[in-house]
């Protein structure tokens, strides 16, 4: 009987390995983003807002409805100065 049952073993191995890798990548990405979906196409404005959120909450993806600015926040600007010519 020329049915290649032997091929099911590597097929199962490949399926399990790809599934494990994908699941671990998903869990790792979620962990880095506090359970939120990852952000794509981040521009300079988004980077500044994430830096502000990090200064207010301690994490770039952190959000709060009642922010209490830490001491020195008002003088710790997220705007970068232009380099003098
Ligand atoms: C993780 O998997 C879930 C379920 O398939 C999906 O909804 C979610 O977008 C995935 N998260 C990431 C960061 O890929």
């Amino acid at each position: 009987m020329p049915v290649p049952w032997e091929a099911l073993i590597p097929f199962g191995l490949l399926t399990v390995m790809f599934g494990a890798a994908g699941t671990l990548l998903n869990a790792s990405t979620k962990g880095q983003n506090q359970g939120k979906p990852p952000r794509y196409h981040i521009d300079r404005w988004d980077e500044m807002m994430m830096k502000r959120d990090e200064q207010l909450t301690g994490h770039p993806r952190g959000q709060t409805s009642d922010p209490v600015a830490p001491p020195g926040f008002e003088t710790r600007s997220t705007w970068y100065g232009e380099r003098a010519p």
Side-chain angles (χ1 to χ4, degrees), residues 12-31:
L13 278 172
L14 278 171
T15 305
V16 168
M17 289 302 177
F18 272 110
T23 304
L24 286 175
L25 180 64
N26 187 313
S28 169
T29 308
K30 266 187 194 164

Side-chain angles (χ1 to χ4, degrees), residues 34-50:
Q34 293 188 329
K36 301 173 185 125
R39 304 186 75 185
Y40 298 105
H41 309 299
I42 298 172
D43 59 13
R44 298 238 326 128
W45 176 259
D46 297 327
E47 286 173 7
M48 284 188 279
M49 292 296 100
M50 289 167 77

